[in-house]
């Protein structure tokens, strides 16, 4: 499998959890690398309306062992708004994947003046 940078995604083992991760990341174009080499996340649309849920669940995939039930909190920002206001930005890790079912960007993104 290849990621958006065309570098191989690490080989995953043969346990049931590892196969579940492989199923989730089978379409690697859906995911992008994060600043941490141990995590991938869903790509976001280039533009999205305020307080509207994303078309599909946002996912964070751990490529390392993370205990089941670990709470995952995400933050977002850009050059003009370093800490965007998010709703439903906490999920629980299950089979190395955290799914954010109704992630919403609440405030302005900082793009307009």
């Amino acid at each position: 499998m290849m990621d958006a940078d065309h570098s191989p995604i690490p080989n995953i083992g043969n346990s049931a959890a590892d196969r579940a991760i492989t199923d989730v990341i089978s379409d690697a174009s859906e995911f992008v690398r994060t600043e941490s080499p141990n995590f991938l996340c869903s790509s976001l649309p280039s533009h999205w309306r305020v307080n509207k849920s994303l078309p599909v669940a946002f996912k964070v995939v751990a490529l390392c062992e993370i205990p089941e039930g670990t709470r995952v909190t995400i933050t977002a920002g850009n050059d003009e708004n370093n800490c965007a206001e998010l709703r439903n930005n906490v999920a629980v890790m299950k089979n190395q994947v955290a799914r954010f079912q109704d992630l919403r960007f609440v405030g302005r993104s900082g793009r307009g003046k």
Side-chain angles (χ1 to χ4, degrees):
M1 284 182 275
M2 305 292 269
D3 73 357
D5 296 331
H6 304 295
S7 58
I9 293 173
N11 189 11
I12 307 222
N14 291 325
S15 72
D18 293 338
R19 286 191 300 276
I21 294 170
T22 303
D23 291 343
V24 169
I25 62 174
S26 61
D27 181 10
S29 65
E30 176 186 351
F31 294 95
V32 295
R33 287 193 178 275
T34 64
E35 290 182 7
S36 171
N38 295 321
F39 296 94
L40 301 174
C41 68
S42 301
S43 59
L44 290 170
S46 59
H47 179 75
W48 201 251
R49 295 246 179 244
V50 170
N51 205 24
K52 185 176 177 189
S53 60
L54 295 171
V56 295
F58 184 80
K59 298 174 194 155
V60 174
V61 178
L63 300 177
C64 59
E65 189 67 31
I66 303 292
E68 292 286 308
T70 300
R71 286 174 44 106
V72 179
T73 303
I74 57 172
T75 60
N78 61 24
D79 291 340
E80 299 200 19
N81 183 1
N82 62 358
C83 189
E85 185 180 350
L86 299 175
R87 185 171 294 148
N88 304 320
N89 63 326
V90 178
V92 175
M93 192 65 75
K94 181 178 179 184
N95 293 329
Q96 304 305 104
V97 179
R99 286 183 176 81
F100 299 84
Q101 294 297 337
D102 190 26
L103 179 65
R104 294 172 185 252
F105 292 86
V106 179
R108 290 182 51 135
S109 66
R111 286 192 292 254
K113 296 282 181 198

